[in-house]
Amino acid sequence: MGVRLSRFAKEHIGQVAELERKFFSEPWSEGSLAILLTEDYPSFVLVTASGEVIGYLSAQRALDELQIINLAVREGYRGQGFGASLLCAAEDFCRTEGIISISLEVRESNLPAIGLYKKQGYRESGLRKNFYRQPTENAVVMIKNLT
């Protein structure tokens, strides 16, 4: 199966919005996702040869830090290294742009995601109480230093 990694583009908005609705309790709308097309929001997608978006990572740049907003991979493609590929794309972007750290929040109950982040070198740095809604849940703050 051919899968390519690319920057998030206008033609991906509909499929990424579908993933948002499926995996997040407060999904971004198509209009909000259009904001990710600006340079301050480096975002990446994985697309199959048939054009299906199988995963994406969205982030926001703040000076020398990148904040991951969302990362999602379709259920049938999980556990195959696609999430790691998206994280590597973000790290490659950071290295070329002089960004020295990446941070994110993840639901405390999302053990597969926490495991992925730890495997990729992220460390837990704190807890945000009641950060998520629908349902209310704490967020684990994770950071990776690239220096």
Side-chain angles (χ1 to χ4, degrees), residues 30-42:
E30 290 189 20
S32 296
L33 287 169
I35 293 169
L36 299 178
L37 299 174
T38 70
E39 229 172 85
D40 288 338
Y41 292 88

Side-chain angles (χ1 to χ4, degrees), residues 69-87:
I69 299 168
N70 280 335
L71 186 152
V73 175
R74 288 190 189 277
E75 289 171 343
Y77 295 93
R78 291 182 179 172
Q80 299 177 44
F82 295 121
S85 293
L86 289 163
L87 290 170

Side-chain angles (χ1 to χ4, degrees), residues 83-136:
S85 293
L86 289 163
L87 290 170
C88 287
E91 290 176 27
D92 289 345
F93 170 83
C94 289
R95 288 186 180 95
T96 63
E97 296 292 317
I99 296 171
I100 60 171
S101 68
I102 303 174
S103 64
L104 59 91
E105 289 98 4
V106 59
R107 281 186 181 271
E108 193 172 40
S109 65
N110 193 344
L111 299 179
I114 292 170
L116 167 67
Y117 298 133
K118 285 183 176 180
K119 188 175 180 180
Q120 295 301 310
Y122 290 76
R123 63 176 174 74
E124 294 183 25
S125 67
L127 194 69
R128 297 195 199 283
K129 296 279 188 186
N130 302 317
F131 183 79
Y132 292 104
R133 297 182 301 224
Q134 302 177 7
T136 301

